[in-house]
Amino acid sequence: IRAYMDAKQEDDLYYNFIITKIELTPTKKMIFYNKGEEIFFHNFSIGENEDVKIGDKIVKEKDSKVLRIFRKNKDGGYKIYLVIYSNNII
């Protein structure tokens, strides 16, 4: 029940932030920080092999099953680096 509640709550949220810090769980999943706020995605599996870095931008629209990660290019703008689809079947 808790997993369902966490997944549903995350579906309802909108994210648009620059990653300021990254930590790894013991299973090598990434925990992101938006300044001091810790963000661990329940519906999206992002591991260390995805090569997400500090300074990348994460965007997820409300009720979306798609999370986009943008990386700054040499011109200073952001371009899509990675698209991750929800691993939640609910």
Side-chain angles (χ1 to χ4, degrees):
I1 292 174
R2 173 108 171 112
Y4 172 80
M5 298 298 289
D6 288 343
K8 180 61 180 144
Q9 182 180 12
E10 186 173 286
D11 276 345
D12 293 340
L13 295 175
Y14 166 77
Y15 291 99
N16 186 344
F17 67 94
I18 306 292
I19 300 167
T20 56
K21 179 180 173 184
I22 298 173
E23 291 181 351
L24 291 176
T25 68
T27 59
K28 305 300 183 194
K29 302 271 190 224
M30 291 186 159
I31 301 170
F32 301 104
Y33 286 83
N34 176 16
K35 300 178 182 144
E37 179 186 4
E38 179 182 301
I39 300 168
F40 180 76
F41 292 105
H42 298 281
N43 296 334
F44 303 93
S45 182
I46 308 169
E48 72 175 340
N49 61 332
E50 311 292 355
D51 193 36
V52 177
K53 300 177 181 180
I54 293 171
D56 288 350
K57 181 178 187 177
I58 292 181
V59 177
K60 185 196 87 62
E61 301 296 329
K62 184 179 189 283
D63 297 323
S64 177
K65 300 291 186 191
V66 178
L67 182 134
R68 291 177 177 83
I69 299 175
F70 296 80
R71 183 158 290 162
K72 203 176 260 192
N73 63 24
K74 63 182 177 181
D75 298 327
Y78 282 92
K79 293 189 74 166
I80 287 185
Y81 166 70
L82 184 63
V83 176
I84 299 175
Y85 296 91
S86 175
N87 57 12
N88 187 357
I89 59 172
I90 299 172

